Amino acid sequence: MNLPIKGIIAASNELPAKDEGLEALWDRFLLRYIVNPINSKQNFFHLLSPSESNIPTTGCNPISHEEYVECLKQSQVIPLPVDILEIIYQIRGKLNDKINAKDVVTGEPNPENLKYYVSDRRWKKAVGVMRMSAYLNGRNEVEITDLLLLAHILWTDEESIPFIRKILAESVVAYMFRNLLDQYKSYKRHAQMGKETSNKLFSPDRIHYIILCDDSPLKIRIADYNRMKSSPDEIYFGAETTDNVIMLRSRGQFVMRFVKDGVLCINNYNYYLRTESDNQFSKDFIVKLSDRMDGIVNQLYLSMNHNIFIADSDLYMPIRETIAVYRERIGLM
């Protein structure tokens, strides 16, 4: 029997029961939504007494078979940028880490975590959804907004949804910050060109200097720095306090030596201390970064005015919370 099915939409009062052989069937449903009862008072009133403006108008013509085939054809050639592929690969890696995580009691992987497994077939289909999303929205390539659709594709049961949203939010925000930090480096480089910069070391509290590190900025007491500076040939052993301050000790996790003014050698690597000009560049850019982040997030979520579709309101808070963590981290650079 020839059944030219273009898609199937199904609804159920419950998810497929475990261990009843429905896993393969459930895996074929690509986009999954949990529809909860109406919470909004106004929406509940619309349900009971819909106004004419909320009733779909008749006479809307469905797309033809030829148009449908053309949509599929055009969407399949939408480029998938390397950056987006990298994010997908990172998300896949985090899911695999969750699956293989050892139980603290048994020391073995928890069988319950197998629910985070995503088949290669499903990944392939997910990319097709993202390409179609980009095409229907008039974009020339898949972008971050299309990636948010994974929140409705990767989960298996309701309990796994928060974790999926968490790793998706983390991956998206990390990608945005990498791009913005690349812009920061370029901004700082160009801002310094042709300008006389101050080599005066910056101290936020007049007690410590800031050591520029890639991962977590460290601080050193000005008194300790001056002590090292007074005898540059001497090697010191350091220890870190809970507030990321390096203290001079007879033995410790750091081996330090003064190189030249504003430069310390720590464990055989040279690290620069932040200068007054560095700090001003950072302040200027953090303002730009905050504005840029707000702009990006607002683009990901469309308003409800005029019945415009919301990309995913449930992902809004996880992304906002992750951005707050990154903002705090960037402020310490």
Side-chain angles (χ1 to χ4, degrees):
M1 183 181 295
N2 181 26
L3 294 175
I5 295 175
K6 296 179 175 64
I8 296 177
I9 298 175
S12 173
N13 289 331
E14 60 185 17
L15 297 179
K18 296 181 179 179
D19 303 322
E20 290 193 6
L22 296 174
E23 290 80 8
L25 173 65
W26 176 231
D27 192 50
R28 264 63 177 183
F29 285 89
L30 189 57
L31 289 163
R32 300 163 174 169
Y33 288 83
I34 290 181
V35 182
N36 294 311
I38 294 174
N39 290 324
S40 165
K41 177 180 178 181
Q42 197 61 39
N43 288 341
F44 183 67
F45 287 172
H46 285 320
L47 171 70
L48 301 182
S49 180
S51 62
E52 291 185 4
S53 60
N54 291 322
I55 299 176
T57 59
T58 58
C60 296
N61 296 322
I63 64 172
S64 67
H65 175 72
E66 289 73 20
E67 290 171 328
Y68 169 77
V69 172
E70 183 65 17
C71 280
L72 286 180
K73 180 181 176 181
Q74 294 296 330
S75 68
Q76 290 168 359
V77 297
I78 292 289
L80 199 65
V82 174
D83 287 348
I84 298 296
L85 282 171
E86 285 291 340
I87 298 174
I88 295 174
Y89 188 76
Q90 290 171 14
I91 294 171
R92 181 173 179 262
K94 290 180 179 181
L95 290 174
N96 289 336
D97 290 342
K98 182 72 172 178
I99 293 170
N100 297 319
K102 301 293 180 63
D103 187 275
V104 293
V105 178
T106 65
E108 298 293 330
N110 188 344
E112 284 293 316
N113 289 341
L114 288 174
K115 65 186 178 183
Y116 295 104
Y117 171 74
V118 179
S119 66
D120 290 344
R121 178 186 64 249
R122 193 167 190 82
W123 282 114
K124 180 75 172 178
K125 295 287 187 181
V127 168
V129 171
M130 288 186 283
R131 281 191 163 117
M132 180 62 78
S133 171
Y135 171 73
L136 293 178
N137 282 281
R139 292 189 282 272
N140 295 323
E141 62 181 17
V142 174
E143 296 180 358
I144 284 290
T145 305
D146 308 307
L147 197 70
L148 297 182
L149 291 168
L150 290 177
H152 305 295
I153 296 175
L154 300 183
W155 63 270
T156 299
D157 59 18
E158 194 166 0
E159 289 74 20
S160 64
I161 293 177
F163 179 74
I164 296 297
R165 289 175 179 162
K166 177 177 178 290
I167 64 171
L168 186 55
E170 290 174 348
S171 300
V172 166
V173 174
Y175 164 78
M176 291 192 292
F177 263 88
R178 280 197 301 272
N179 284 350
L180 291 171
L181 289 179
D182 286 342
Q183 293 177 34
Y184 167 74
K185 293 174 184 177
S186 176
Y187 165 82
K188 182 176 177 180
R189 185 168 57 251
H190 286 86
Q192 288 177 320
M193 286 182 178
K195 293 185 179 180
E196 184 178 346
T197 58
S198 170
N199 290 323
K200 183 179 178 181
L201 298 181
F202 169 71
S203 172
D205 53 10
R206 303 306 172 194
I207 299 174
H208 303 91
Y209 289 141
I210 297 177
I211 303 171
L212 297 176
C213 298
D214 292 334
D215 297 327
S216 57
L218 298 172
K219 293 186 247 182
I220 185 170
R221 288 176 58 89
I222 295 176
D224 287 339
Y225 173 79
N226 290 334
R227 175 182 160 190
M228 296 178 68
K229 184 178 178 180
S230 64
S231 53
D233 295 332
E234 188 173 350
I235 294 178
Y236 297 84
F237 293 86
E240 183 185 346
T241 63
T242 54
D243 53 355
N244 293 337
V245 176
I246 288 183
M247 307 293 289
L248 296 188
R249 297 284 187 268
S250 58
R251 288 291 184 271
Q253 67 187 97
F254 301 102
V255 180
M256 300 181 292
R257 183 172 58 84
F258 179 84
V259 178
K260 63 180 181 178
D261 199 26
V263 183
L264 296 177
C265 179
I266 305 177
N267 294 343
N268 297 322
Y269 289 94
N270 287 345
Y271 292 90
Y272 290 83
L273 274 63
R274 179 182 287 178
T275 65
E276 292 283 1
S277 57
D278 286 330
N279 188 60
Q280 187 57 50
F281 290 139
S282 299
K283 283 182 177 178
D284 292 344
F285 188 79
I286 287 172
V287 173
K288 293 176 179 290
L289 181 146
S290 295
D291 293 342
R292 177 69 175 141
M293 289 301 298
D294 288 336
I296 290 174
V297 175
N298 290 335
Q299 288 172 14
L300 297 180
Y301 299 93
L302 306 176
S303 69
M304 293 187 67
N305 296 334
H306 309 296
N307 297 322
I308 295 178
F309 172 73
I310 300 177
D312 190 339
S313 57
D314 291 330
L315 261 174
Y316 189 84
M317 287 311 299
I319 286 183
R320 277 292 185 195
E321 291 166 359
T322 310
I323 285 175
V325 173
Y326 272 80
R327 273 185 171 146
E328 183 177 352
R329 186 181 304 173
I330 195 73
L332 295 173
M333 282 184 56

